Amino acid sequence: MNRFLIICLLSATSLVGHAQFSQAGRDSIYNVSKQDHQQMKDQLGISISNRPGPSGNPNDPNAANTDEDNVRAYTLPDPLTLSNGGKVESSEEWSEKRRPELVELFESEMYGRLPQNIPAVTWKVTSVKDTTIGNFPIKEKRLSGIVDNSGYPNIKVEIELLLATPAHVSKSVPTVVHFGFIRWPFGPRPEQSISLLSPNEPDWKQQLISRGWGYAILNPTSVQLDNGAGLRQGIIGLVNKGEYRKPDDWGALRAWAWGASRVIDYFETDQDVDIDRVAIEGLSRYGKAALVAMAFEPRFSLGFIGSSGAGGAKILRRNLGEQVENLASSAEYHWFSGNFIRYASTKTVDDLPIDAHELIALCAPRPVFISAGSPFVEGSWIDAKGSFLAGVHAGPVYELLGKRSLAADEYPFLGTPLIDGEIAFRQHAGAHSNGPNWSTWIAWASRYWKN
């Protein structure tokens, strides 16, 4: 196993502490997740086994399809057709009728609903210091978002946030919220591990600071753990007072997106941040979370959605790479509402009333950049073409709202930047990283964030 893959696997681990490295600890998480998954199936009245998803290992007999010639025919739901069959023909009809319908469908069938009784978050600045990132001086703040747990003191949630802005700058600056780790939770951090893919470029933080922008790092697992065993902990467990979820309760992706919204709440009180110019960015499962955050939180003005795959920007109906059956398994179901499990058991993906192009459409008219890596390095599990096509099929909504869609409807050659519209796409030549696309994203974003 190569070093990069080891890093990716470690970053997928959720629990902090020595026990996470023991086989007993991993077995415990696996078993509790299986039990919680089965408990949700019992609530849904599902007595049959889930259909197994394909394997990401190309040598396995059930390997996922990676051949475009073997992609089946499918029909996508029309984002501009109302549930009653009527056509959306104006921006008013989109915002007042169709968009609320899509929000309801994504909440009930896929990502879950935000509870009405989520406790308040109080932000506390724990430290402020002048330091550097690379050769660039910055002001760095460490913050803790303390969630009111007076209703259930057994669970404590403190959101971890780092905010960095250029030092000696008196005005508020555009800021990118990044889903990631503030402290590397697996021992000493491998220096610039992801940036090794572009060793001669400054890392993303240096690029943002050199542009006069800021960055924030939000630790998503401080909001909600990344496994089914953690669903009775974190913000989901706190709201449910340690009990099991209901079928339409929120999953981890929606919880992480909720955490990003609370970061914007803080930004509204911080004069260092230009609240009208805040972006959300993430990679892989955090790319999924970034797209969900962008779709449901109108205060994000730009999105950078990296290698998000199934459950993110990829068309779910395409049988290439990861499939709904993988997402609804006991390994990944916690990202979604319990209702989503039905589409890998009693229903199929063709029964799903929404797909990824409509999630992108919920971001309209705000600009979204869809990123992916090379199929020769990153592999085809995330189905980069499926994400490109989702951007294409979200285009009519952007055009209805007077914005520009993708600059092409034919899948581009590797490395081609499609950045002329409010939906942008680029597949870089590197691996599972946003690193090689940061400079392209910054150039594209500069059109909207003019100094």
Side-chain angles (χ1 to χ4, degrees):
M1 184 179 293
N2 64 42
R3 183 168 177 259
F4 178 77
L5 183 54
I6 291 172
I7 292 166
C8 290
L9 289 173
L10 286 175
S11 67
T13 307
S14 304
L15 300 180
V16 177
H18 178 73
Q20 67 185 327
F21 296 107
S22 70
Q23 186 61 48
R26 290 192 295 270
D27 289 345
S28 176
I29 292 171
Y30 172 80
N31 290 331
V32 175
S33 296
K34 290 268 292 183
Q35 292 166 11
D36 186 89
H37 185 262
Q38 182 59 53
Q39 196 277 340
M40 180 56 70
K41 290 182 67 176
D42 293 342
Q43 284 193 57
L44 293 166
I46 298 173
S47 58
I48 62 175
S49 298
N50 278 25
R51 296 185 301 275
S55 171
N57 185 340
N59 297 317
D60 286 347
N62 64 331
N65 175 42
T66 59
D67 187 344
E68 199 64 37
D69 290 339
N70 293 329
V71 173
R72 70 187 184 100
Y74 56 87
T75 301
L76 289 176
D78 182 0
L80 292 177
T81 297
L82 295 164
S83 59
N84 64 9
K87 296 295 183 181
V88 176
E89 297 181 349
S90 69
S91 59
E92 290 77 18
E93 285 184 309
W94 165 257
S95 61
E96 296 173 10
K97 295 181 179 179
R98 183 54 176 163
R99 192 180 191 284
E101 285 183 350
L102 289 175
V103 167
E104 166 63 23
L105 289 171
F106 275 109
E107 288 188 327
S108 65
E109 302 304 304
M110 196 163 179
Y111 297 111
R113 304 181 191 280
L114 292 187
Q116 296 296 317
N117 59 332
I118 306 177
V121 177
T122 301
W123 284 98
K124 177 182 178 182
V125 178
T126 59
S127 69
V128 181
K129 67 177 181 179
D130 291 326
T131 183
T132 59
I133 182 73
N135 295 321
F136 301 101
I138 61 172
K139 177 167 68 174
E140 181 184 280
K141 299 175 186 174
R142 299 290 184 106
L143 300 105
S144 179
I146 302 169
V147 182
D148 179 9
N149 68 340
S150 58
Y152 192 71
N154 291 347
I155 294 177
K156 179 180 179 181
V157 179
E158 293 190 8
I159 304 172
E160 296 180 6
L161 179 68
L162 180 150
L163 172 63
T165 52
H168 316 304
V169 173
S170 58
K171 64 179 181 178
S172 59
V173 300
T175 301
V176 177
V177 178
H178 163 81
F179 281 117
F181 295 114
I182 299 168
R183 302 184 308 275
W184 189 246
F186 316 110
R189 185 181 182 94
E191 283 302 316
Q192 309 299 334
S193 57
I194 302 304
S195 295
L196 289 173
L197 301 168
S198 304
N200 297 318
E201 292 186 10
D203 75 6
W204 63 274
K205 293 174 280 191
Q206 296 174 50
Q207 291 185 56
L208 289 173
I209 295 296
S210 69
R211 186 68 179 80
W213 298 350
Y215 62 85
I217 301 174
L218 168 63
N219 177 3
T221 60
S222 69
V223 178
Q224 184 62 44
L225 294 176
D226 188 12
N227 52 58
L231 286 171
R232 297 169 73 183
Q233 304 172 55
I235 189 62
I236 295 175
L238 176 59
V239 172
N240 288 340
K241 293 181 168 57
E243 298 298 326
Y244 288 110
R245 292 190 301 167
K246 299 295 189 294
D248 65 348
D249 281 355
W250 51 342
L253 293 177
R254 195 78 197 276
W256 296 338
W258 169 85
S261 292
R262 304 291 69 77
V263 170
I264 295 188
D265 292 345
Y266 167 73
F267 285 172
E268 289 179 333
T269 71
D270 192 320
Q271 63 182 4
D272 291 334
V273 176
D274 183 344
I275 194 61
D276 294 321
R277 294 187 290 177
V278 177
I280 185 70
E281 179 268 344
L283 172 74
S284 195
R285 66 195 64 199
Y286 301 142
K288 305 180 204 296
L291 183 54
V292 172
M294 184 75 181
F296 284 96
E297 175 51 79
R299 292 177 293 176
F300 284 117
S301 67
L302 295 176
F304 185 3
I305 314 304
S307 298
S308 60
K314 161 190 156 60
I315 294 292
L316 289 169
R317 284 165 168 79
R318 275 173 55 89
N319 61 317
L320 192 147
E322 188 173 22
Q323 299 296 294
V324 164
E325 287 77 8
N326 300 100
L327 300 178
S329 72
S330 60
E332 299 180 5
Y333 77 103
H334 61 278
W335 293 339
F336 306 96
S337 70
N339 281 332
F340 189 63
I341 296 174
R342 296 176 300 163
Y343 295 97
S345 53
T346 57
K347 298 186 176 187
T348 73
V349 67
D350 291 321
D351 298 313
L352 193 65
I354 65 287
D355 213 319
H357 63 304
E358 293 170 312
L359 185 64
I360 297 171
L362 290 182
C363 303
R366 294 161 297 144
V368 176
F369 185 108
I370 301 167
S371 171
S374 165
F376 309 111
V377 186
E378 182 178 46
S380 299
W381 185 247
I382 68 155
D383 185 11
K385 184 174 181 179
S387 293
F388 165 78
L389 291 172
V392 170
H393 290 290
V397 175
Y398 275 79
E399 292 170 1
L400 177 73
L401 301 180
K403 301 299 180 180
R404 294 162 295 180
S405 56
L406 267 172
D409 55 12
E410 293 292 330
Y411 191 47
F413 289 112
L414 184 70
T416 304
L418 301 179
I419 55 173
D420 291 337
E422 273 67 55
I423 305 175
F425 177 87
R426 184 173 183 265
Q427 184 178 24
H428 61 73
H432 195 57
S433 167
N434 283 343
N437 265 346
W438 267 105
S439 59
T440 303
W441 183 86
I442 291 171
W444 172 80
S446 296
R447 294 211 311 263
Y448 306 101
W449 287 355
K450 299 183 188 301
N451 288 334

